[in-house]
Amino acid sequence: MIGCLCIHGFTGAPYEVEPLADYLKSRHPEWMFRIPTLPGHGETLSLKGIKFKEWIACAEKEYLELAERCDEVYVIGFSMGGLIAGYLAANYKVDRLVLLSAAAYYLNPRQMAAELREMARDLINGTLEENELFSRYKRKITETPLSSALQFRKLVAFIRPQLSMIQAPTFIAQGEMDGLVPPKSAEFLYESIPAEQKKLAYIKESAHHICHCREKAALFSQVDDFLEGIPALPESC
């Protein structure tokens, strides 16, 4: 049996990866899926006092439960969840690894500036509350304690040196319009992970929430092909 662990991002919830998980479930109903909510996360955030190692421990627990019951385990991580997925692949037997908008670096100044200009136009036009990006940023700013942002930075610093231990076949996807995670994050991951089989795919029309982008159908197909080993992965992007 194949187990598939999907890990959401910082200040997020399972909805961030659920479109991909639902696609894979429809293609592989025999697989066992786990889509945990990390401590302090979910539809209502309660991050105060949560340490970054608690997020890692939650994912470890889910992985180990899958590993006990499954012959192979695939791990998919989005944003901060991508870093946690990388940690699991560096320290445990992960058969295939998928990193989506993985936050080895954070904030893309150029794209962020473009998004802020768009918000400014909507503010002038009186339609700011309808701006999807504004709604997401507003939630992050108003519900995220500074201490939690520091814990996120500690997590990145803790995991980045371990990427060089990953041997699992790895698929990296990065949105070209991502205002939070810059392209250099995906490039860093590709260069740091020494796996023989790895692929880097840029999704042209995607912002940060890559599983909800306009090109998600094509992305999901690529992920599914990768997980099934079809076609053979190239050695370079």
Side-chain angles (χ1 to χ4, degrees):
M1 179 185 292
I2 291 173
C4 186
L5 173 60
C6 302
I7 309 169
H8 67 75
F10 179 59
T11 71
Y15 76 86
E16 293 179 320
V17 291
E18 278 176 346
L20 173 57
D22 289 343
Y23 175 88
L24 294 173
K25 286 176 183 177
S26 70
R27 300 274 296 175
H28 308 282
E30 74 281 5
W31 290 8
M32 181 179 296
F33 286 83
R34 293 290 182 90
I35 314 173
T37 300
L38 299 177
H41 290 74
E43 296 303 321
T44 301
L45 297 179
S46 182
L47 290 164
K48 189 174 181 179
I50 303 292
K51 304 298 184 184
F52 78 88
K53 289 189 176 179
E54 295 179 62
W55 302 329
I56 294 174
C58 174
E60 279 182 314
K61 179 176 179 292
E62 298 288 343
Y63 165 84
L64 290 171
E65 290 179 1
L66 278 178
E68 283 185 4
R69 303 177 64 181
C70 301
D71 303 307
E72 296 186 2
V73 177
Y74 303 155
V75 181
I76 299 171
F78 165 74
S79 195
M80 182 183 79
L83 270 292
I84 296 174
Y87 169 86
L88 294 176
N91 291 277
Y92 297 96
K93 178 183 177 293
V94 169
D95 294 279
R96 288 190 176 267
L97 175 66
V98 177
L99 306 177
L100 306 173
S101 309
Y105 287 92
Y106 214 58
L107 292 181
N108 181 348
R110 181 178 297 179
Q111 185 60 33
M112 178 69 75
E115 291 172 358
L116 289 173
R117 286 195 296 272
E118 179 184 335
M119 290 182 205
R121 284 195 298 270
D122 287 343
L123 175 62
I124 293 169
N125 295 330
T127 57
L128 184 60
E129 292 297 330
E130 300 173 16
N131 186 295
E132 183 181 0
L133 288 169
F134 172 75
S135 298
R136 288 175 178 161
Y137 290 146
K138 180 181 177 182
R139 180 172 183 262
K140 287 179 182 290
I141 292 169
T142 59
E143 298 183 32
T144 305
L146 176 60
S147 60
S148 297
L150 293 175
Q151 289 299 313
F152 166 75
R153 295 178 69 88
K154 287 182 178 181
L155 179 140
V156 174
F158 175 71
I159 293 176
R160 277 176 55 175
Q162 301 183 53
L163 298 172
S164 61
M165 298 188 291
I166 296 173
Q167 297 297 330
T170 302
F171 179 89
I172 302 164
Q174 173 66 39
E176 292 188 10
M177 298 177 65
D178 191 335
L180 293 178
V181 174
K184 72 174 183 178
S185 180
E187 295 159 9
F188 173 82
L189 291 165
Y190 186 85
E191 292 170 2
S192 299
I193 293 172
E196 290 185 9
Q197 291 186 321
K198 56 185 178 180
K199 180 179 180 180
L200 172 54
Y202 288 100
I203 310 302
K204 187 173 183 179
E205 298 294 327
S206 176
H208 185 55
H209 284 80
I210 199 167
C211 291
H212 294 263
C213 74
R214 295 177 184 175
E215 297 173 280
K216 63 183 179 181
L219 169 65
F220 296 171
S221 179
Q222 286 191 69
V223 171
D224 189 38
D225 285 348
F226 165 73
L227 293 177
E228 291 196 90
I230 305 170
L233 292 171
E235 293 185 356
S236 60
C237 61

